[in-house]
Amino acid sequence: MIRHPDRDDLVLFEMGDLGLTPPPEAAGHLPVLRTVREWMGDYLCRPLPELGRRGAVCPYTSTSMDKGRTFLAVRPGHPADPEEVVRSVRPYREWFLRLAPAGEALSIYTTLMILFPDARREDLPAIDAAQAALKASYVSEGLMIGEFHPGPPDKPGLWNPDLRPLSSPVAMLVIRRMVATDFPFLRDDDDHVRSYLSWFGDEVPSHLRESVRAAAESLS
């Protein structure tokens, strides 16, 4: 378990905290924390034929867990609106930047998952709206923020438009470092493209170069 350097009320749980002797702070959240850990292992770390490509659903999750770079925060209560979700997430972005500074070797494997275990179905649009409101500011700092929930979010897979791959048993927002292969998630917004180019303009993967070049040329 890690406590926030400036706020005693904020803690992050690690995979090792979910065993037989959890820290007291984790005891009341163990069922949801263990559910998320199981979902990560059974879903994110495994291939999914419907995904339309080879490999695990998330190619970084297994390494993140193995290297102890997966951190879980729990935000109890029903999120009233997107603004409340945005406020609750705000301190975790700065914390993530301390945990995973740009250029550090393990930064791309660092994942911070903010769980909303009490979110009801009617609360899920607030999670989606908060992610949409936050994305631009995160991308500008070389970060990605994604939403997962039981809805699931109405975002199709890149290779299978009929798939909704962001399904999870617990509502959450997930922060990680942007990587060069994230361009397909950013290409539909000019500001996101500019941010991507500022971070990866000199190291675009070969299979994305034509798409990135076309997007760059279309910028005003």
Side-chain angles (χ1 to χ4, degrees):
M1 188 188 79
I2 301 175
R3 195 172 297 278
H4 193 282
D6 304 318
R7 291 182 53 173
D8 288 341
D9 61 318
L10 296 181
V11 298
L12 295 176
F13 301 110
E14 303 171 87
M15 294 293 107
D17 297 326
L18 312 186
L20 296 177
T21 55
E25 292 86 346
H29 304 303
L30 276 181
V32 68
L33 291 169
R34 287 172 173 168
T35 293
V36 171
R37 180 181 63 181
E38 182 176 351
W39 166 75
M40 293 173 69
D42 291 345
Y43 178 68
L44 294 181
C45 293
R46 296 180 182 272
L48 181 69
E50 297 89 345
L51 196 62
R53 63 159 172 81
R54 296 179 180 178
V57 171
C58 176
Y60 292 93
T61 298
S62 180
T63 303
S64 177
M65 296 174 74
D66 290 345
K67 292 184 177 294
R69 300 301 298 174
T70 300
F71 304 103
L72 308 175
V74 181
R75 303 293 299 190
H78 305 296
D81 51 44
E83 290 74 22
E84 181 179 321
V85 178
V86 168
R87 286 194 299 271
S88 69
V89 170
R90 186 173 294 125
Y92 294 103
R93 178 171 70 175
E94 302 310 316
W95 199 356
F96 182 91
L97 290 170
R98 298 190 194 190
L99 292 169
E104 187 175 276
L106 290 177
S107 290
I108 64 168
Y109 299 111
T110 305
T111 305
L112 200 165
M113 312 173 82
I114 306 160
L115 313 181
F116 299 88
D118 301 323
R120 304 158 297 190
R121 181 161 293 274
E122 57 266 34
D123 300 323
L124 300 182
I127 304 290
D128 294 335
Q131 186 273 342
L134 290 167
K135 185 174 180 179
S137 63
Y138 275 66
V139 169
S140 69
E141 293 195 63
L143 305 178
M144 296 290 282
I145 182 167
E147 76 279 32
F148 293 81
H149 57 64
D154 190 24
K155 291 182 177 179
L158 289 177
W159 299 271
N160 180 356
D162 296 323
L163 180 68
R164 297 296 179 268
L166 303 181
S167 178
S168 66
V170 178
M172 66 182 80
L173 289 171
V174 179
I175 304 171
R176 63 171 174 81
R177 275 280 166 195
M178 192 196 315
V179 294
T181 52
D182 280 328
F183 180 73
F185 303 112
L186 307 169
R187 62 187 173 196
D188 294 330
D189 183 285
D190 284 355
D191 288 335
H192 295 167
V193 171
R194 290 188 181 93
S195 294
Y196 176 88
L197 291 171
S198 73
W199 284 93
F200 301 108
D202 296 328
E203 49 187 287
V204 177
S206 58
H207 70 284
L208 292 173
R209 285 174 189 162
E210 288 303 318
S211 297
V212 173
R213 183 179 295 111
E217 290 173 352
S218 70
L219 292 175
S220 56

